[in-house]
Amino acid sequence: METLTFLFTDIEGSTALLRRLGDEVYARVLAVHHALVRSALAEHGGREVDTQGDGFFAVFASPRACVAAVLQMQQAIEAHAWPGGEQVRVRMGMHCGEAEQTTTGLVGLEVHRAARIAAVGYGRQVLVSESAAALVRDWLPPGATLRDLGVHQLKDLGRPEQIFQLRAEGLQAEFPPLRSLGGSALPNNLPAQLARFIGRGRELAEVRALVESSRLVTLTGAGGCGKTRLGLQVAAEMLDGSGDGVWLVELAAVAGQDAVAPAIAGALGIAGQPGRPVAGTLVDALAPQDILIVLDNCEHLIDGCAKAADAILRRCPRVHLLATSREPLGIGGETVYRVPSLSLPGPGDNGSASPDSSDAVALFVDRARAQGASVAAGEQAGPLVVSVCRRLDGMPLAIELAAARLRTMSLASLHDRLDQRFRLLTGGSRTALERQQTLRATVDWSYSLLNGAEQSLLRRLPVFAESFDLDAAEAVCARRRRSSRLARGQEPGAGGAGRSNPAVPVAGDHPPVRRRTARRGRRGRGCGPRSRARGALPGCRRGGGPAPDRAGPGPVAGAAGRRAGESAARRRALGRPPGGDRAGAALRRRAPALLAGA
């Protein structure tokens, strides 16, 4: 790690400038702009790290040198005679912090913070973070001053930042309010997040593209996979000053299906009208608006959310909806995005605990440091960190709960006790939802969302030690009418971690029901296909789950399970791959006899 001064610059309105000038003239403008920036970097000891289009990322060993460089850049750009009388307006942001040089470049959360600071400014404006301002305040060039612009919430939703504007002769002095989340230029009610957002670069880009092209996008996935955090970050990224803002509707505390529309109206400040249904008032008020509404935690209010969303989509053509739920809303026009687990180190990378090795490792290291625990990337700690993240399937909630245990135990002890994860992974934030404070509470919440028949079905399925298909599950469960429930368990929200194309239409094809057990042995009850559809954690089976069916799986299920297990054992003994299609075929052949004995 080294402490550096980061500088980000880019041309404001570059796309519009390109349209006005045309490709050939714009290319010449860009070449002159690059030459002026690089000249100032060279003169003041700046190092160019990256250049993308019209944007520069550079670093300085000295914050004073960075100030001198940005003043030279702005003054040179302002004095240059640009083609067609155009004005090239460059916004700049500087920040001091730590970063690590890796094979992929400079890595560090402070780098991202510097980019966020530059992004809230305007062309010709130079913004300075609090840490940088503290270092240069007493060493500014003659005539230069710092103007305090106040505390602003950046789009990373992390801690607010005190931001200053660098003022000097020849620079524009007055600008509109910054484009921060708390400013009037970006209307929203997004809450500040106390913990940093880690990774998810690919998912952010994919979900943002879906929201821009689809009126309703639902983020689904297992409980604890990070649906809410991803949704909030996408919403923050989409605040650009256009439209009527981004608004969050928190539904976790809403109890009734009929209360969804009033909750949306309340979050948006839409007053009800006496003698008129709230839903009607809501859609009338939203009809002319261009906004994004985030519906968070829809799974216990599926019917109410589906009804409200359908009414909004039909009558409010400029409103976009982003929902988070453990299962899809199931209405026309919905695009479902299955939120995957965090990326894990590659198969051959068993020893690196460097935050840039994967998103899962980066999250564990960051949350461990927040607990006061130092996780070094040494020969002993590295493999343990990687193993913990893999055994927790890269699930953010499980990783955060595991990191919290480092307050009271060593990394090695944590690793050795993960087989008892329901007892171990407790002690989440006291201010979090109750179902997010422990791993077991998350699974219990998912289980409670099932109806009685689905719970009974779920308790029968753990007789399978290997993967199984729909026909095999029907045979074990003994009643053909259960197939509709099994099919519902294969909705787009069912698991889906790691799928290459996680965005699917709500009426998409359904893959075979699978249980991943080969590497972990036979797991305990509690995570069948329906629980995955409504959000049980993929890694929760070992160490327990929802209470078993006290009546047991029954003679039919028991017999089928024993036969399937014996068949799998014979295949392993012969060196053949276990199960799947052949196991399913064998159970299909036995199904009539099994069903006759039910």
Side-chain angles (χ1 to χ4, degrees):
M1 283 283 186
E2 55 182 328
T3 301
L4 298 166
T5 300
F6 311 111
L7 172 65
F8 281 86
T9 80
D10 74 289
I11 299 176
E12 182 183 48
S14 57
T15 302
L17 184 62
L18 170 60
R19 291 195 186 104
R20 293 195 301 269
L21 296 177
D23 294 346
E24 184 177 347
V25 177
Y26 181 76
R28 294 202 302 269
V29 168
L30 210 58
V32 173
H33 164 265
H34 284 25
L36 294 177
V37 171
R38 285 174 175 146
S39 174
L41 291 177
E43 187 169 337
H44 297 282
R47 175 166 62 91
E48 182 179 331
V49 177
D50 189 25
T51 304
Q52 295 186 7
D54 60 282
F56 274 80
F57 169 33
V59 295
F60 293 79
S62 163
R64 294 168 59 186
C66 184
V67 168
V70 297
L71 289 177
Q72 179 177 325
M73 291 176 196
Q74 289 286 20
Q75 289 165 351
I77 292 169
E78 182 69 21
H80 188 80
W82 299 101
E86 290 284 355
Q87 295 182 337
V88 175
R89 302 168 57 89
V90 180
R91 58 184 175 184
M92 303 181 180
M94 55 179 290
H95 173 58
C96 293
E98 290 186 332
E100 182 177 1
Q101 186 67 51
T102 70
T103 55
T104 58
L106 277 176
V107 174
L109 291 170
E110 299 306 316
V111 174
H112 294 278
R113 195 160 190 83
R116 300 289 187 189
I117 291 170
V120 302
Y122 295 87
R124 296 177 173 169
Q125 190 173 31
V126 179
L127 299 180
V128 182
S129 71
E130 182 178 17
S131 61
L135 295 173
V136 302
R137 182 177 286 111
D138 297 329
W139 304 96
L140 291 172
T145 61
L146 290 174
R147 178 184 178 186
D148 189 348
L149 300 182
V151 177
H152 293 265
Q153 183 67 54
L154 304 178
K155 286 187 178 181
D156 60 3
L157 298 175
R159 60 176 174 81
E161 178 72 43
Q162 186 91 12
I163 296 180
F164 299 82
Q165 176 184 325
L166 180 63
R167 305 177 70 174
E169 184 178 352
L171 301 188
Q172 181 176 327
E174 300 299 326
F175 296 91
L178 295 182
R179 297 187 179 101
S180 59
L181 295 185
S184 58
L186 301 178
N188 71 94
N189 68 338
L190 298 179
Q193 300 295 310
L194 301 181
R196 295 170 172 173
F197 184 79
I198 303 292
R200 296 283 200 196
R202 177 177 61 84
E203 292 89 340
L204 281 171
E206 290 175 347
V207 175
R208 178 167 183 172
L210 289 176
V211 174
E212 290 173 345
S213 62
S214 175
R215 297 278 313 288
L216 169 61
V217 176
T218 302
L219 306 182
T220 67
C225 72
K227 299 181 294 295
T228 294
R229 193 69 177 88
L230 177 61
L232 289 175
Q233 192 60 44
V234 169
E237 296 282 352
M238 298 192 72
L239 274 169
D240 58 3
S242 62
D244 299 305
V246 173
W247 304 94
L248 171 66
V249 182
E250 298 180 288
L251 298 172
V254 177
Q257 304 287 347
D258 294 335
V260 173
I264 299 174
L268 273 66
I270 298 173
Q273 298 178 4
R276 189 181 183 200
V278 175
T281 305
L282 174 65
V283 294
D284 285 349
L286 291 178
Q289 297 196 45
D290 178 11
I291 65 173
L292 171 65
I293 300 175
V294 181
L295 301 176
D296 188 35
N297 288 304
C298 298
E299 57 266 5
H300 63 300
L301 300 166
I302 288 294
D303 292 340
C305 289
K307 183 178 179 180
D310 185 69
I312 292 172
L313 293 180
R314 291 180 184 277
R315 297 184 53 185
C316 308
R318 301 173 67 198
V319 174
H320 287 246
L321 300 175
L322 176 61
T324 71
S325 175
R326 300 193 187 187
E327 63 174 311
L329 302 188
I331 63 175
E334 179 182 29
T335 297
V336 178
Y337 184 92
R338 287 178 282 183
V339 178
S341 300
L342 293 172
S343 64
L344 292 164
D349 187 2
N350 295 316
S352 174
S354 174
D356 67 325
S357 64
S358 72
D359 289 349
V361 170
L363 180 66
F364 184 86
V365 171
D366 180 80
R367 300 304 191 254
R369 288 173 177 167
Q371 302 297 329
S374 176
V375 180
E379 294 182 359
Q380 293 182 339
L384 291 178
V385 171
V386 171
S387 179
V388 166
C389 293
R390 283 180 175 157
R391 291 174 67 185
L392 295 177
D393 292 321
M395 297 299 287
L397 176 62
I399 289 173
E400 292 194 348
L401 292 174
R405 298 295 294 181
L406 295 179
R407 291 192 300 258
T408 58
M409 66 176 58
S410 68
L411 178 61
S413 295
L414 171 68
H415 179 271
D416 293 342
R417 298 184 189 189
L418 277 183
D419 284 342
Q420 302 298 321
R421 62 192 66 184
F422 281 103
R423 296 191 184 97
L424 181 68
L425 300 185
T426 61
S429 171
R430 291 187 176 93
T431 60
L433 295 173
E434 183 177 352
R435 61 177 181 264
Q436 295 176 352
Q437 293 183 12
T438 69
L439 185 64
R440 181 161 197 114
T442 297
V443 176
D444 286 346
W445 169 254
S446 297
Y447 186 72
S448 71
L449 295 175
L450 307 178
N451 62 38
E454 291 166 344
Q455 290 178 354
S456 177
L457 170 62
L458 177 64
R459 291 194 295 266
R460 291 168 179 254
L461 292 177
V463 299
F464 289 100
E466 302 291 346
S467 61
F468 61 90
D469 62 12
L470 179 60
D471 290 341
E474 284 181 333
V476 167
C477 296
R479 296 190 181 97
R480 284 286 179 183
R481 62 185 176 85
R482 293 182 188 271
S483 61
S484 63
R485 299 181 188 116
L486 285 163
R488 288 175 62 196
Q490 300 173 67
E491 290 169 351
R499 178 166 173 166
S500 60
N501 181 16
V504 295
V506 71
D509 60 331
H510 301 311
V513 180
R514 298 290 181 187
R515 285 193 65 199
R516 297 184 298 154
T517 59
R519 288 183 297 174
R520 294 178 176 82
R522 186 164 178 168
R523 294 170 174 171
R525 295 177 175 88
C527 291
R530 182 56 174 164
S531 69
R532 294 289 297 277
R534 285 190 178 173
L537 290 168
C540 73
R541 299 183 188 91
R542 183 188 298 179
D549 191 338
R550 297 193 181 279
V556 175
R562 287 194 297 275
R563 293 172 187 174
E566 291 167 2
S567 178
R570 285 196 298 271
R571 285 192 299 275
R572 284 193 296 270
L574 293 172
R576 298 172 183 169
D581 296 334
R582 281 184 290 176
L587 281 172
R588 282 195 294 273
R589 289 194 297 271
R590 298 191 186 100
L594 293 172
L595 292 170

